[in-house]
Amino acid sequence: MKSVTLICSVLLISSFGVAALDVKQRFNHLDYNKDGYLTQDELEPQPQLLSNYQRWDKDQDNRISLVEFKDFLTNNLY
């Protein structure tokens, strides 16, 4: 029984790591100029993402950081 619990714990932890990597990969794919931020211009080809732009931009600096992107996806889509 202990080994089953250990295996489940390892799988759960590794799945969080994969999810975090997936978010970073999505962010990097969208960040065309590779400046570490997403702008409205970069999200224009993705209208479903652009429609939430103002909600993502928590600090209102008119760009989306990786942290804002991750927080929004974690709290609203998963």
Side-chain angles (χ1 to χ4, degrees), residues 3-47:
S3 62
V4 171
T5 303
L6 177 63
I7 291 170
C8 289
S9 297
V10 168
L11 290 174
L12 184 62
I13 291 168
S14 66
S15 70
F16 283 122
V18 170
L21 181 61
D22 188 41
V23 169
K24 177 125 175 72
Q25 287 174 334
R26 290 179 189 181
F27 183 88
N28 289 342
H29 176 74
L30 295 169
D31 184 15
Y32 295 124
N33 65 1
K34 305 302 179 205
D35 67 350
Y37 295 95
L38 301 177
T39 62
Q40 290 184 14
D41 290 340
E42 289 171 316
L43 293 178
E44 199 167 295
Q46 305 286 330

